[in-house]
């Protein structure tokens, strides 16, 4: 098993659909993150969970809804998205909250296309 | 907010050449990191720097934490085709603050 696994790898959805992205980490880490990666932009932090509690939400639109049922799993629920939400969504984990020593471990990403 | 200026944005080099890229900030960071992202994959940590002036190597990669704590560079020696990808710098002001990422340097290696 790789350290951080994301499914699905690719997702195409209409603006009225509801879908979810899933992330699982096998590293025994205590914090998990969702990042958005768009072309020619820096990685944008969306959500941070530490010990299953949300500790940071960078003013993300409510059409993105995270869920962290336990320290190994993280979901990103999507509904009524816009075409500009098309991007690569990266999950990451770290030993401590907010990457206390900066070492994030990333998944392979879920490529989302909103039609 | 804090921003990292990473340059160059992209570069094309011949196999065997050395590569240098850098990252600058108007803010001081206490940690600098360099990540590489292969096509279709997530970023992977290459080197982490924790002390001003620190010079750290990882195989053909060498990175330095600038003495002013506002910059860092990454060098790749004797490039090979598998060095292709996007290299990101990231800085952290202190523990319990989010990483700030640069926009990346896209490296292409011509065999």
């Amino acid at each position: 098993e790789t350290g951080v696994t994301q499914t699905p790898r690719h997702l195409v959805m209409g603006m009225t659909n509801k879908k979810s992205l899933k992330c699982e980490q096998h590293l025994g880490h205590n914090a998990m993150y969702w990042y958005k990666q768009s072309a020619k932009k820096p990685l944008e932090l969306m959500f941070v969970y530490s010990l299953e509690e949300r500790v940071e939400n960078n003013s993300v639109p409510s059409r993105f809804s995270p869920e962290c049922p336990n320290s190994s799993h993280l979901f990103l629920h999507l509904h009524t998205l816009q075409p500009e939400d098309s991007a690569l969504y990266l999950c990451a984990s770290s030993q401590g909250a907010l990457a206390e020593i900066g070492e994030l471990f990333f998944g392979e990403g879920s490529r989302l296309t909103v039609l | 907010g804090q921003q990292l200026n990473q340059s160059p944005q992209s570069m094309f080099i011949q196999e065997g050449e050395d590569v240098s890229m850098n990252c600058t900030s108007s803010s001081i960071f206490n940690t600098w990191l360099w990540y590489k992202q292969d096509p279709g994959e997530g970023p992977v940590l290459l080197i982490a720097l924790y002390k001003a002036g620190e010079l750290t190597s990882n195989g053909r990669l060498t990175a330095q934490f600038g003495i002013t704590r506002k910059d860092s560079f990454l060098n790749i020696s004797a490039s090979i085709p598998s060095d292709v990808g996007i290299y990101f710098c990231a800085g952290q002001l202190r523990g319990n603050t989010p990483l700030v990422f640069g926009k990346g340097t896209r490296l292409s290696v011509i065999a």
Side-chain angles (χ1 to χ4, degrees):
Chain A
E1 285 284 2
T2 56
V4 181
T5 306
Q6 289 186 242
T7 55
R9 294 291 308 275
H10 299 274
L11 178 62
V12 179
M13 59 187 289
M15 289 165 56
T16 57
N17 291 158
K18 287 185 181 181
K19 297 285 184 184
S20 296
L21 306 180
K22 179 184 174 183
C23 178
E24 184 174 359
Q25 60 99 357
H26 309 277
L27 300 168
H29 286 169
N30 294 316
M32 296 186 77
Y33 309 73
W34 280 116
Y35 279 86
K36 177 182 178 183
Q37 186 176 33
S38 304
K40 299 184 181 178
K41 285 187 175 181
L43 284 169
E44 300 173 52
L45 178 63
M46 299 176 71
F47 300 103
V48 181
Y49 277 82
S50 174
L51 298 172
E52 302 149 48
E53 286 192 20
R54 190 192 302 182
V55 298
E56 179 128 346
N57 171 2
N58 281 0
S59 302
V60 177
S62 59
R63 56 186 184 269
F64 295 92
S65 173
E67 179 190 359
C68 188
N70 56 61
S71 60
S72 299
H73 293 86
L74 184 65
F75 294 89
L76 187 62
H77 303 300
L78 317 167
H79 66 98
T80 59
L81 295 191
Q82 304 297 312
E84 60 264 29
D85 296 323
S86 299
L88 182 68
Y89 288 85
L90 290 162
C91 174
S93 71
S94 67
Q95 181 63 43
L98 284 172
E100 287 160 340
I101 55 171
E103 294 188 25
L104 291 175
F105 292 80
F106 286 90
E108 294 172 318
S110 293
R111 171 71 62 187
L112 173 66
T113 302
V114 181
L115 301 176
Chain B
Q2 296 167 327
Q3 285 187 330
L4 294 182
N5 298 310
Q6 192 170 346
S7 64
Q9 288 186 15
S10 62
M11 49 196 317
F12 290 81
I13 60 168
Q14 289 285 135
E15 183 177 358
E17 288 183 352
D18 296 344
V19 175
S20 184
M21 59 191 79
N22 68 77
C23 210
T24 61
S25 171
S26 57
S27 304
I28 288 173
F29 288 101
N30 288 324
T31 302
W32 283 94
L33 304 127
W34 286 92
Y35 284 84
K36 183 194 176 196
Q37 186 173 22
D38 289 330
E41 305 290 330
V44 174
L45 181 66
L46 298 173
I47 294 179
L49 302 158
Y50 301 107
K51 190 176 175 182
E54 180 181 354
L55 184 72
T56 297
S57 293
N58 178 6
R60 293 178 296 105
L61 277 60
T62 302
Q64 183 158 29
F65 190 144
I67 200 75
T68 64
R69 293 195 285 158
K70 293 185 178 181
D71 61 347
S72 178
F73 72 74
L74 175 71
N75 285 345
I76 306 173
S77 62
S79 58
I80 59 177
S82 62
D83 290 333
V84 165
I86 304 176
Y87 292 79
F88 292 98
C89 63
Q92 187 177 33
L93 176 58
R94 59 183 182 278
N96 285 325
T97 59
L99 290 182
V100 179
F101 283 86
K103 293 184 181 181
T105 293
R106 183 180 295 273
L107 178 64
S108 300
V109 178
I110 304 165

